């Protein structure tokens, strides 16, 4: 079978995802999968077996489901809002610092939950009410959101990428954390600079309006469960290694968090059970979607699509291949970022096939997330627009120059990790 025929199904998927077609990711995947099965002469039994392996691979990653459900439950219970209130109380009257602090809360909440939109719907209206639509603040929120969900131990993106790297989700998140923190710092500094240099986009009368004063004790009690979850996610693995015991695991960390929430927020246990189930729905939806798309990718792998790609750039430097893959991932995300993890599933097998070291895979997730923040079909962009009371395209236009610049930093990190 010729190399062109083997690569054809993947090219079809890419073409269908891009303008002018802009098909749904599953429609494009289906077209590529059917073409691959026909080219390879695969039997229905073989196609069924290979396809279902993609779904079972994604739905078997239980740690992501549990962490995401716990974090979203805390957001619905008001823990995120309480933490924002504490930051505003701490830096009262210093709007630049409050804006930076709220960007950090968005980063932490997204990192804990593994998805940005649900948290954006909470944080964006609060920030809008405080400083208005400041371009630097909106860009800062977008930068930290993308970096957080791409490297979170609770996200579908991390679930897929860690699987491709053949390491645990926790190990992946720990490896990427220093880079994630750098993006957090960039987003916070951007928000701080925007408000400090240009001020808020609201009149003085608005800021002088009296706001409902929540007692400090209440805010502390309500914010405590979120702080506990985040602390255990960050320090749990090092403590486990230091003690050579598995004290903080996928079961114990969420369980401790839920118990703290019940006690500190005085929640009804029956209500908590239902809220946890509701919190699991978004991540289950994404994992199911990615599993379906991954099935089509696996059919292409069965006929040698990625092996054929591996033979093409053999003389090219690995660093150049990595940089090119990250740029392509960024560009593909712009028109088709409704499901960013599906784009990861498209790009990472190609990188693996051409010999890119697995430690660069995480930067694909970040590059895709950054492209997603200038995509009109990305739900987090819609949530940002809703929160600030503006049109979706205003958010897209605002973010373009910032995302292109931050993408250069992502490529630099990816190439550095590849060549070291």
């Amino acid at each position: 079978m010729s190399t062109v025929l083997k690569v054809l199904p993947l090219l079809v998927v890419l073409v269908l995802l891009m303008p002018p077609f802009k098909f749904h990711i599953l429609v494009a995947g289906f077209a590529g999968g059917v073409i691959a099965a026909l080219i390879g002469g695969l039997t229905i039994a073989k196609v069924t077996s290979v396809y279902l392996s993609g779904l079972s691979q994604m739905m078997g990653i239980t740690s992501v489901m549990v962490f995401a459900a716990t974090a979203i439950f805390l957001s619905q219970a008001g823990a995120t809002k309480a933490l924002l209130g504490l930051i505003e109380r701490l830096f009262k009257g210093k709007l630049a610092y409050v804006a930076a602090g709220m960007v950090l809360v968005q980063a932490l909440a997204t990192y804990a939950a593994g998805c940005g939109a649900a948290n954006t719907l909470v944080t964006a209206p609060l920030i809008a009410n405080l400083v208005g639509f400041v371009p630097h603040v909106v860009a800062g929120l977008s930068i930290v959101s993308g970096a957080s969900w791409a490297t979170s131990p609770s996200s579908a993106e991390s679930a897929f990428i860690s699987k491709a790297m053949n390491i645990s989700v926790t190990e992946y998140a720990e490896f990427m954390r220093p880079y994630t923190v750098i993006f957090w710092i960039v987003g916070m500094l951007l928000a701080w600079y925007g408000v400090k240099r240009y001020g808020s986009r609201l009149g003085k009368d608005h800021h002088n309006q009296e706001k409902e004063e929540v007692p400090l004790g209440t805010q502390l009690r309500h914010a405590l469960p979120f702080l506990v979850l985040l602390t255990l996610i960050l320090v749990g693995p090092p403590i486990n290694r230091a003690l050579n015991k598995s004290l903080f695991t996928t079961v114990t960390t969420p369980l401790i968090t839920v118990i703290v929430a019940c006690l500190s927020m005085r929640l009804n246990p029956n209500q908590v059970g239902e809220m946890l189930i509701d919190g699991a729905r978004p991540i289950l939806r994404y994992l199911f979607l990615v599993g379906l798309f991954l099935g089509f990718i696996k059919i292409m792998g069965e006929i040698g699509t990625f092996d054929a790609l591996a033979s093409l750039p053999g003389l090219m430097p690995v660093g150049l291949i990595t940089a090119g893959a990250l740029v392509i991932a960024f560009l593909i995300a712009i028109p088709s970022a409704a499901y960013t993890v599906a784009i990861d599933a498209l790009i990472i097998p190609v990188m693996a096939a051409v010999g890119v070291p697995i430690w660069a895979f995480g930067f694909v997730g970040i590059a895709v997330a950054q492209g997603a923040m200038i995509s009109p079909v990305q739900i987090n962009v819609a949530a940002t627009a809703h929160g600030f009371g503006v049109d979706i395209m205003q958010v897209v236009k605002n973010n373009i120059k910032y995302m292109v610049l931050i993408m250069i930093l992502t490529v630099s990190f990816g190439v550095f990790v590849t060549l070291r």
Side-chain angles (χ1 to χ4, degrees):
M1 188 187 306
S2 70
T3 298
V4 174
L5 282 179
K6 290 180 180 179
V7 176
L8 179 62
L10 183 60
L11 294 177
V12 169
V13 173
L14 292 174
V15 169
L16 293 181
L17 286 175
M18 302 292 284
F21 301 105
K22 295 194 291 186
F23 279 106
H24 188 282
I25 196 78
L26 286 184
V27 176
F30 172 76
V34 169
I35 292 173
L38 293 175
I39 290 175
L42 303 180
T43 64
I44 294 177
K46 184 64 175 179
V47 168
T48 301
S49 173
V50 171
Y51 182 79
L52 290 180
S53 68
L55 185 59
S56 61
Q57 177 180 330
M58 294 308 300
M59 299 307 293
I61 307 173
T62 53
S63 61
V64 171
M65 302 177 193
V66 175
F67 276 115
T70 304
I72 293 176
F73 145 68
L74 291 180
S75 179
Q76 293 173 342
T80 305
K81 186 176 181 180
L83 185 57
L84 285 167
L86 285 175
I87 289 177
E88 188 173 356
R89 183 188 291 269
L90 181 63
F91 295 104
K92 195 168 185 178
K94 300 176 181 178
L95 292 181
Y97 292 98
V98 175
M102 287 187 166
V103 167
L104 178 60
V105 170
Q106 170 70 6
L108 297 176
T110 301
Y111 190 79
C115 61
N119 297 300
T120 301
L121 290 172
V122 176
T123 56
L126 295 173
I127 297 174
N129 185 58
L130 188 71
V131 299
F133 189 94
V134 178
H136 302 74
V137 175
V138 175
L141 280 173
S142 300
I143 289 170
V144 302
S145 295
S148 295
W149 85 58
T151 60
S152 163
S154 307
S155 71
E157 286 79 0
S158 294
F160 173 78
I161 295 172
S162 63
K163 202 80 172 180
M165 295 172 68
N166 198 30
I167 59 177
S168 71
V169 175
T170 303
E171 290 172 320
Y172 165 74
E174 195 169 357
F175 169 74
M176 293 299 298
R177 193 168 296 141
Y179 305 100
T180 304
V181 171
I182 291 174
F183 287 112
W184 290 355
I185 294 172
V186 171
M188 291 171 62
L189 288 175
L190 196 58
W192 177 86
Y193 172 77
V195 176
K196 189 76 173 178
R197 176 68 176 81
Y198 299 102
S200 74
R201 295 299 174 88
L202 297 172
K204 293 182 179 179
D205 292 339
H206 179 90
H207 293 304
N208 290 332
Q209 291 176 2
E210 291 187 8
K211 297 181 180 180
E212 181 182 354
E213 191 70 22
V214 180
L216 176 60
T218 301
Q219 286 183 327
L220 287 171
R221 286 192 297 104
H222 287 191
L224 181 60
F226 179 88
L227 293 173
V228 168
L229 175 62
L230 186 68
T231 301
L232 294 181
I233 286 176
L234 295 178
V235 306
I239 291 176
N240 288 342
R241 286 197 299 270
L243 299 177
N244 199 26
K245 292 182 179 179
S246 297
L247 297 179
F248 302 106
T249 67
T250 306
V251 173
T252 58
T253 295
L255 182 60
I256 292 170
T257 303
V258 171
I259 291 174
V260 171
C262 288
L263 295 176
S264 67
M265 305 179 77
R266 299 168 187 170
L267 299 174
N268 184 312
N270 293 331
Q271 182 184 12
V272 169
E274 285 300 320
M275 292 173 73
L276 280 170
I277 294 172
D278 288 338
R281 288 177 180 172
I283 192 66
L284 287 173
R285 178 180 184 275
Y286 279 108
L287 288 174
F288 183 70
L289 168 79
V290 176
L292 295 178
F293 180 72
L294 186 58
F296 297 126
I297 297 299
K298 282 183 171 292
I299 293 174
M300 296 178 206
E302 191 68 22
I303 69 167
T305 296
F306 303 111
D307 291 336
L309 285 170
S311 66
L312 297 178
L315 299 178
M316 293 176 62
V318 173
L320 186 60
I321 295 173
T322 301
L326 294 177
V327 172
I328 291 171
F330 177 82
L331 294 175
I332 291 176
I334 296 173
S336 55
Y339 310 105
T340 54
V341 67
I343 302 173
D344 297 339
L346 193 65
I347 299 295
I348 287 176
V350 178
M351 293 183 69
V354 298
V356 173
I358 60 173
W359 303 110
F361 292 179
F363 299 101
V364 173
I366 294 178
V368 170
Q370 290 167 347
M373 299 316 297
I374 52 177
S375 171
V377 300
Q378 165 57 221
I379 188 171
N380 197 73
V381 173
T384 303
H386 174 78
F388 282 92
V390 298
D391 182 74
I392 288 176
M393 290 311 298
Q394 186 174 341
V395 175
V396 171
K397 292 175 182 177
N398 177 81
N399 285 351
I400 288 176
K401 62 180 179 181
Y402 299 102
M403 291 305 153
V404 171
L405 290 173
I406 204 69
M407 176 59 192
I408 296 174
L409 182 60
T410 303
V411 172
S412 301
F413 286 154
V415 173
F416 168 75
V417 170
T418 300
L419 298 179
R420 72 175 182 177

